[in-house]
Amino acid sequence: MSAAHQPSASRLEPFRLRGANFNLLVMRLLDHRVEALVPALGDQFRRAPGFLRFAPVVIGLDDIPARPEEVDFAALVQGLRAIEIVPIGTTGGTPEMRIAAQGAGLPPLRQAGGAREEDVPMAPPGAPMPPPPAAPQPAPPAEAPALRAAMVVDQPVRAGQRIWAQGTDLIIVGTVNRGAEVIADGNIHVYGRLLGRAIAGGQDNAEARVFALNFDPELVSIAGYYAVREGLGEAPIGKTVQARLVGEHMRFDPVG
């Protein structure tokens, strides 16, 4: 075979698998009935257009008060996709519950434990399977993670934009327009008008807060608890405000 007809290196390796760690939203099911869950989510979407739209979501099974055979996972997947939520797998639950979910195309997922991205080696065709990895040794006590510098955005956030500060605070120097979404695992600071959606306290960080010079959001969420525009009650709209959790209730206090 001439050199001109020899397969190139790129053809010998048309893809490469890599392990990675992603921040994903977990939807903890408190009611497994599709006829109750999907309309409730649909109502949320009508009040906060774009919230979670096309977002990949993991289904949390730990709080489902039902037996595996009572949960129609196929109908659940179909219902979520109908309202433009993308379920990609499950977490928690009993082995029986996870098996039932897997039958509907929801594989069990496990946290990557913060491991850095690395290649997943592929064995050549016909090669024997590699031996199983050695049992992991107990890890030494973890040190407190160093604080990461806040993500700073020096321009307004336009409608349709989504900005996510993973593992840190988010500072917006400008306006968060309606239809925009800002997300942070820590606090959110908006030095301008907050008109869109602000989601703080990822990974169940109930101590996170949302600060805005001009508070008039479509939605505010902290550690999974949320309030939409119609549910802000006595919040000082148009004023400088900090939003925080007190127990399971959202509180909106003027600043200054």
Side-chain angles (χ1 to χ4, degrees):
M1 179 182 296
S2 65
H5 294 87
Q6 289 180 355
S8 65
S10 61
R11 292 180 181 177
L12 292 177
E13 188 181 35
F15 67 91
R16 180 174 295 178
L17 297 180
R18 302 181 69 90
N21 185 18
F22 295 93
N23 281 345
L24 296 170
L25 296 174
V26 177
M27 180 183 296
R28 293 169 53 192
L29 295 189
L30 306 180
D31 190 331
H32 67 282
R33 297 173 302 158
V34 177
E35 63 273 18
L37 175 65
V38 173
L41 286 169
D43 181 62
Q44 169 65 60
F45 286 5
R46 284 189 291 273
R47 291 183 290 167
F51 180 58
L52 288 182
R53 188 182 184 201
F54 298 124
V57 171
V58 179
I59 306 298
L61 303 177
D62 283 332
D63 301 309
I64 296 181
R67 295 188 297 273
E69 63 271 14
E70 296 176 340
V71 184
D72 191 342
F73 284 105
L76 175 62
V77 170
Q78 182 179 4
L80 292 178
R81 289 177 176 168
I83 57 174
E84 300 178 334
I85 293 179
V86 185
I88 63 170
T90 63
T91 184
T94 64
E96 294 78 14
M97 190 75 73
R98 293 194 294 270
I99 291 172
Q102 194 164 2
L106 295 174
L109 304 179
R110 62 189 181 99
Q111 293 184 344
R116 67 178 178 87
E117 184 180 275
E118 59 183 12
D119 289 344
V120 178
M122 298 290 292
M129 292 295 291
Q137 298 298 317
E143 297 181 0
L147 293 178
R148 292 178 55 188
M151 176 187 290
V152 180
V153 178
D154 287 316
Q155 56 191 5
V157 185
R158 301 186 304 272
Q161 277 189 294
R162 171 184 287 176
I163 296 175
W164 194 331
Q166 300 183 13
T168 188
D169 291 353
L170 176 61
I171 299 175
I172 307 292
V173 184
T175 295
V176 178
N177 287 288
R178 299 205 185 279
E181 187 171 82
V182 291
I183 308 171
D185 288 344
N187 305 302
I188 294 176
H189 305 256
V190 180
Y191 295 107
R193 301 179 69 192
L194 174 56
L195 303 175
R197 299 178 292 277
I199 303 170
Q203 302 180 4
D204 295 329
N205 179 9
E207 300 299 319
R209 302 189 182 193
V210 175
F211 302 87
L213 287 182
N214 187 316
F215 186 76
D216 189 10
E218 294 175 315
L219 176 143
V220 176
S221 174
I222 298 176
Y225 297 90
Y226 67 87
V228 295
R229 183 64 176 81
E230 295 82 357
L232 295 179
E234 301 299 320
I237 301 299
K239 305 295 184 181
T240 302
V241 169
Q242 67 163 324
R244 60 192 177 99
L245 280 180
V246 178
E248 295 185 354
H249 300 282
M250 195 86 70
R251 178 167 172 170
F252 307 99
D253 297 322
V255 176

